[in-house]
Amino acid sequence: MIDGGDPSPLLDIDRSSFRIDQALFLVLQGPKTGARYALDTDLVRIGRHPESDIFLDDITVSRRHAEVQRAAGRYTVCDVGSLNGTYVNRKIIDQIDLADGDEVQIGKYKLVFAHGTAPV
C-alpha cells in the first residue's frame, strides 16, 4: 500500500468503470506524475526502450526493466534483469502478484496498481 496504507491517490479512480479482470497503473512520482497506463494486454513491457508498452524515459530505468503478466484476471510484475531493481511496496522483488493499491517503483517512478471492480 502507498505510504503505509494511504489510499488517497486511488480515490479519484473509478474502479467500477473497468472490469474486475482489468487494471491500470497511476504514476505517483516521476516526470509523468498523474499519467495512467492501462494494463490491457496479457504482457506489458516497461522500460526505457522506445518500443516499451510503458515508456519511462529516465536513466534510472533500464531499457528492458520489468514486465507485467496478466493471467486469469491476476497481474504479476517481474523484474527482467534491470540494473536498479524493481520494488513493490518498498521491497525489491524478482516476481510478485499485484494487489489493488500496491506501489511499484521502477527507477525514480512510483506507480500505484489499481484493479477494476465491474463484473466481467
Side-chain angles (χ1 to χ4, degrees), residues 12-94:
D12 67 342
I13 298 174
D14 180 9
R15 286 178 189 72
S16 66
S17 66
F18 54 107
R19 299 185 330 228
I20 198 160
D21 63 339
Q22 297 174 321
L24 62 82
F25 277 136
L26 170 66
V27 180
L28 296 179
Q29 181 178 314
K32 297 182 178 184
T33 298
R36 296 175 184 202
Y37 295 100
L39 302 174
D40 54 2
T41 59
D42 290 338
L43 179 65
V44 175
R45 293 178 179 92
I46 305 168
R48 194 168 35 94
H49 192 283
E51 293 178 9
S52 297
D53 301 305
I54 299 178
F55 175 57
L56 302 176
D57 190 17
D58 186 79
I59 195 68
T60 61
V61 178
S62 296
R63 285 185 179 85
R64 288 173 174 58
H65 198 106
E67 295 178 346
V68 177
Q69 300 169 356
R70 176 180 67 184
R74 297 183 67 152
Y75 292 81
T76 303
V77 63
C78 307
D79 186 273
V80 291
S82 69
L83 182 61
N84 293 323
T86 301
Y87 295 79
V88 174
N89 301 324
R90 300 182 182 174
K91 294 179 183 170
I92 195 161
I93 58 96
D94 288 322

